[in-house]
Amino acid sequence: MSAPMLTVDNLGASYGAAQILYGLSLEVGRGEVVALMGRNGAGKTTTMKAIMGLMAQSCGAIHFNGTDISGKPPFEIARLGLGFTPEDRRIFSDLTVMENLDIGRQPPRQFADGVPAPVWTEAKLLKLFPNLGEMPHRPGGRMSGGEQQMLTVARTLMGNPLLILLDEPSEGVAPLIVELMANTILELKNAGVSILLSEQNVHFAELVSDRAYVLEKGQIQWSGRMAELADNIEIQRAYLTV
Ligand code: ATP
């Protein structure tokens, strides 16, 4: 694997008295797409929130692009180039596509070795997401779920991230959009962006991921090549929905 962009070591997290994550460790290499898989409630979203500094109660060590981000506030983590696309999308419904994109704008940045990260502009993003290109002035509230999902990813890219945490991009969107989303993820990978993807669907994960971690009850139960997981029906039956 290439040099790690993100290293999570022994992560724990709780909501009040309820512990959700236990000693979770994972790595995402530069340019890798890694799937974090598990059923509803396994802890995928909580893992992403903890990495982003959004869990009030968490412990463990998290390094991103050579920087220790454990305990840092979310805005500082975002400014280091860690993008987060939440499951609930958080599109501004009164703002247009272009205005939503503008909100995500951040300066260009570099990888730890000084290599410049991919820089995204509105023009590039409207090419990457042709559906959005057809409706630049449409308010977010008048878009379909799939279009909103694309807009959320595009807005995250406006921040020129080195790595994106992508929470369930295929959930609740039409099959055609799922296919577009898979192609987009592969284009982002080609551009040099690393991705940690939360997913329940093996078929979608298989289209885009290099490796996978399988989560149950807040613990990693299996990890390995995505192709191995796709062939391993027993693991899928035990920890995923098949
Ligand atoms: P999903 O696909 O449903 O989002 P997930 O794998 O992302 O599943 P999480 O959302 O991380 O799972 O949830 C893990 C556990 O944490 C679940 O048992 C859930 O009920 C609990 N949980 C999530 N959010 C809260 C909260 N705000 N307060 C208390 N418990 C929570």
Side-chain angles (χ1 to χ4, degrees), residues 22-100:
Y22 299 85
L24 188 147
S25 298
L26 60 82
E27 242 176 45
V28 182
R30 185 153 150 189
E32 255 198 326
V33 178
V34 174
L36 183 60
M37 307 210 55
R39 294 195 177 105
N40 274 337
K44 305 180 295 296
T45 300
T46 306
T47 303
M48 293 192 164
K49 284 169 71 178
I51 294 170
M52 275 320 283
L54 290 163
M55 290 295 293
Q57 295 167 262
S58 70
C59 60
I62 308 175
H63 288 82
F64 170 63
N65 194 30
T67 304
D68 182 356
I69 59 167
S70 336
K72 284 195 192 297
F75 73 90
E76 264 185 46
I77 295 173
R79 277 186 201 162
L80 290 169
L82 185 48
F84 178 36
T85 305
E87 201 178 3
D88 58 9
R89 302 184 186 128
R90 314 239 175 123
I91 287 297
F92 294 96
S93 53
D94 293 337
L95 300 186
T96 65
V97 166
M98 296 305 272
E99 288 165 343
N100 267 287

Side-chain angles (χ1 to χ4, degrees), residues 144-204:
S144 73
E147 288 157 359
Q148 290 187 354
Q149 182 67 284
M150 290 183 176
L151 182 54
T152 317
V153 176
R155 186 179 57 190
T156 305
L157 287 170
M158 283 295 288
N160 302 312
L162 306 172
L163 185 146
I164 302 183
L165 306 176
L166 203 51
D167 200 358
E168 300 217 32
S170 77
E171 205 202 11
V173 298
L176 189 64
I177 306 278
V178 171
E179 205 175 298
L180 281 174
M181 197 57 76
N183 289 336
T184 305
I185 290 172
L186 292 174
E187 285 194 45
L188 295 180
K189 179 185 163 79
N190 280 339
V193 179
S194 316
I195 296 175
L196 179 64
L197 172 83
S198 130
E199 193 51 65
Q200 306 197 28
N201 180 333
V202 177
H203 302 295
F204 181 79

Side-chain angles (χ1 to χ4, degrees), residues 95-121:
L95 300 186
T96 65
V97 166
M98 296 305 272
E99 288 165 343
N100 267 287
L101 289 180
D102 204 34
I103 282 173
R105 192 187 304 277
Q106 284 186 54
R109 47 173 65 83
Q110 300 182 331
F111 291 101
D113 61 6
V115 172
V119 178
W120 300 93
T121 58

